[in-house]
Amino acid sequence: MPDPELAFSFNELCVEAAVKDDRIQAALWVSPKPSDEDMTAEALTLAGEPGVAGPEAEFPAGRPGGRSVLRPVLDRIFASAREHGLVVHVHTSPGAASDIDEIGQLVDWYADDVRCTSSTSAAG
């Protein structure tokens, strides 16, 4: 996401739509990147709102320092999902096979008590 603030800016609108129409469920845009931590924390304050299905995050390949640099924010995202009984949706990079070990870490760290789905992003 070239401008993460743009993606985050839609969270309240999505929740508002989900509250007004029970046919709509909102996915909260979140990011495990440390630079997006404040925006993610703000987004997670909406996790308990009616109609929220769960947080959704891009999981870009090739993070310097590996996934360990993302772990504190990932812990916060998955803790919020656990608290509210939500499903975390993760977008992998194009050619997602390169991310399989990284996604495996999420399973190791969180799958005992948080549901998670994944899809591949169309563009990188």
Side-chain angles (χ1 to χ4, degrees), residues 32 59 67 70-79 106 109-110:
F59 207 57
R67 297 295 180 233
L70 306 178
R71 184 73 189 262
V73 184
L74 284 168
D75 285 349
R76 177 180 267 170
I77 292 167
F78 278 85
L106 295 180
W109 294 340
Y110 307 109

Side-chain angles (χ1 to χ4, degrees), residues 27-92:
L28 300 173
W29 181 260
V30 296
S31 170
K33 293 175 16 180
S35 60
D36 296 336
E37 186 171 9
D38 290 342
M39 290 183 289
T40 292
E42 184 177 331
L44 292 174
T45 65
L46 301 170
E49 294 294 322
V52 172
E56 179 175 357
E58 183 88 20
F59 207 57
R63 293 293 307 150
R67 297 295 180 233
S68 61
V69 299
L70 306 178
R71 184 73 189 262
V73 184
L74 284 168
D75 285 349
R76 177 180 267 170
I77 292 167
F78 278 85
S80 179
R82 181 183 318 105
E83 176 184 348
H84 298 287
L86 304 176
V87 177
V88 177
H89 184 80
V90 178
H91 289 277
T92 59

